[in-house]
Amino acid sequence: MNILLTGGTGYIGSHTAVVLAEAGHRPVLLDNLSNSSADVVDRLAQITGTRFPFIEGDIRDTALLRRVLADEGIGAVVHFAGLKAVGESVEQPLRYYDNNVGGTISLLQAMDETGVGTLVFSSSATVYGQPAYLPLDEVHPTGATNPYGRTKLHIEEMLAELAASGTNWRIACLRYFNPVGAHASGLIGEDPNGIPNNLMPYIARVAGGRLPFLNVFGDDYPTPDGTGVRDYIHVMDLAEGHRAALDFLAGSAGAGWHAFNLGTGCGYSVLDMVRAFEQASGRPVPYRIAPRRPGDVAACYAKADKAADQLAWRALRSLDDMCASTWHFQQRTAR
Ligand code: NAD
Ligand code: WQD
């Protein structure tokens, strides 16, 4: 099937393109390059032996989307495009609503007008807000603690109402936990601009000597070692979750709206991550305890049974693989 990947040159989109191509699909990438580079298209060609069609464009350009959906004979869309920095969303909420919510409305209009009804949406565990209980299952109440999270929640709700309005829609919201790691080639991975906000890219730069030490945000949480606990998932496992979701949507149970957690179900602390990265890289990761980061929760991890039961998907890769592949990418390709 021809599958449109909005945000296809980004971190998760590029890994998913590899997996979809391996499964016999034809990925078509669309990205405005606001947080990625067109070099990724070359690297994907190096990995897969196939040059995927790439359209540089914005999801808010409905006419462009209509054209791409029709001209490329698109059968399904995987919608990654969006802005994702929590702190930035607090400072620039309108930009986040315009890009994420406005962009999704534009995409949905183009899909509606061209009769493409199958959509996999990049959602986030952030839609659960403050955890009321752990592990988080899909019926946990939803909420938002920042504008970024609220864009994801609004989009999910919009998609549910859209799916209820007609019979053509087959929509899966995939609620990612904490994606980390890189493709085994070391040619694609996560390489944020500036100082990383997220733990794994920050640790990778400390291990590589590009940052002097890690600030550990709080060591007095009610967790086994006092540092924050998260459900880190290898980006290749996550990518395979998209293939599984597309298969599910194509089947008899796929009509309507669905939400799935994509996580491992295991929680690791910040210090667990530091030790695992030191082991995988053979480099020290010096750290200092710093104050808690505002808005952080003590622990967040998934119950991943629904995806196992309905998508026949499970995360398989280890913490060591997450760290080793990040390190490989950091050394081979990261700027
Ligand atoms: P990313 O920034 O690497 O990829 C997103 C891509 O979308 C970028 O290449 C960017 O240039 C593109 N983009 C942004 N706005 C666009 C627009 N208006 N038109 C066209 N392209 C646009 O981020 P990622 O980590 O690959 O995340 C992909 C999706 O998954 C995002 O929607 C993000 O919110 C969601 N998500 C990410 C995480 C995470 O921790 N990485 C966790 C949960 C959910
Ligand atoms: C993980 C742990 C930090 C950096 C964020 C978004 C979420 C989702 C994924 C998109 C926490 C600690 C971090 C550092 C640290 N994105 N930490 N020092 O906050 O779980 O989730 O990314 O949907 O919406 O909020 O991920 O990687 O930032 O933090 O001690 O320099 O590492 O306090 O415990 P988080 P993270």
Side-chain angles (χ1 to χ4, degrees):
M1 185 166 42
N2 299 322
I3 302 177
L4 177 65
L5 274 55
T6 72
T9 49
Y11 172 45
I12 303 169
S14 56
H15 289 80
T16 303
V18 173
V19 166
L20 294 181
E22 278 169 359
H25 295 296
R26 176 174 167 268
V28 175
L29 315 180
L30 182 139
D31 203 297
N32 68 359
L33 303 179
S34 58
N35 198 38
S36 56
S37 152
D39 294 351
V40 167
V41 184
D42 301 330
R43 301 212 197 101
L44 288 171
Q46 232 177 305
I47 293 170
T48 64
T50 306
R51 201 172 175 83
F52 305 139
F54 169 62
I55 299 106
E56 182 177 347
D58 197 294
I59 53 167
R60 289 164 292 185
D61 184 345
T62 317
L64 170 70
L65 291 174
R66 258 197 312 265
R67 259 197 325 275
V68 172
L69 289 167
D71 293 354
E72 299 288 345
I74 298 295
V77 177
V78 188
H79 178 31
F80 299 100
L83 301 173
K84 62 167 184 174
V86 173
E88 190 181 68
S89 79
V90 176
E91 285 154 23
Q92 304 173 29
L94 266 185
R95 187 169 155 237
Y96 273 67
Y97 283 109
D98 174 41
N99 195 82
N100 293 7
V101 180
T104 302
I105 293 172
S106 163
L107 170 66
L108 293 169
Q109 282 168 337
M111 290 177 69
D112 201 28
E113 287 162 21
T114 49
V116 180
T118 301
L119 176 72
V120 175
F121 171 60
S122 291
S123 190
S124 167
T126 191
V127 300
Y128 295 121
Q130 288 283 342
Y133 58 83
L134 290 168
L136 292 161
D137 56 19
E138 287 84 351
V139 297
H140 183 285
T142 52
T145 55
N146 56 68
Y148 164 71
R150 203 171 300 281
T151 66
K152 292 290 173 193
L153 196 50
H154 278 339
I155 293 167
E156 279 209 6
E157 290 169 350
M158 202 162 68
L159 293 174
E161 289 175 346
L162 185 64
S165 73
T167 52
N168 187 36
W169 294 100
R170 295 171 172 263
I171 298 176
C173 294
L174 303 183
R175 296 173 175 167
Y176 310 156
F177 279 67
N178 288 60
V180 296
H183 186 262
S185 63
L187 286 170
I188 52 173
E190 188 179 20
D191 192 17
N193 294 324
I195 308 261
N197 296 311
N198 295 115
L199 180 65
M200 190 65 128
Y202 203 109
I203 289 182
R205 289 192 192 179
V206 173
R210 294 165 60 197
L211 288 168
F213 58 87
L214 171 72
N215 288 300
V216 175
F217 297 143
D219 68 347
D220 56 354
Y221 284 108
T223 59
D225 66 16
T227 67
V229 165
R230 297 291 183 274
D231 185 335
Y232 298 94
I233 173 168
H234 197 298
V235 66
M236 290 305 294
D237 279 328
L238 197 69
E240 284 162 9
H242 294 74
R243 180 192 39 71
L246 285 163
D247 289 348
F248 167 82
L249 291 179
S252 54
W257 180 94
H258 312 267
F260 296 100
N261 285 342
L262 294 189
T264 65
C266 295
Y268 290 106
S269 75
V270 177
L271 295 182
D272 289 336
M273 298 303 286
V274 167
R275 278 188 290 269
F277 206 94
E278 287 184 328
Q279 190 121 41
S281 64
R283 297 283 182 92
V285 177
Y287 66 87
R288 291 185 191 166
I289 304 299
R292 289 182 180 193
R293 186 171 63 177
D296 270 356
V297 299
C300 174
Y301 48 92
K303 186 165 162 59
D305 297 11
K306 188 177 172 192
D309 293 345
Q310 296 190 25
L311 305 183
W313 169 92
R314 224 175 244 296
L316 299 172
R317 292 165 177 85
S318 66
L319 181 59
D320 181 58
D321 193 353
M322 299 180 209
C323 294
S325 61
T326 302
W327 181 236
H328 183 42
F329 170 72
Q330 167 78 26
Q331 287 182 298
R332 178 158 188 200
T333 305
R335 288 159 294 163

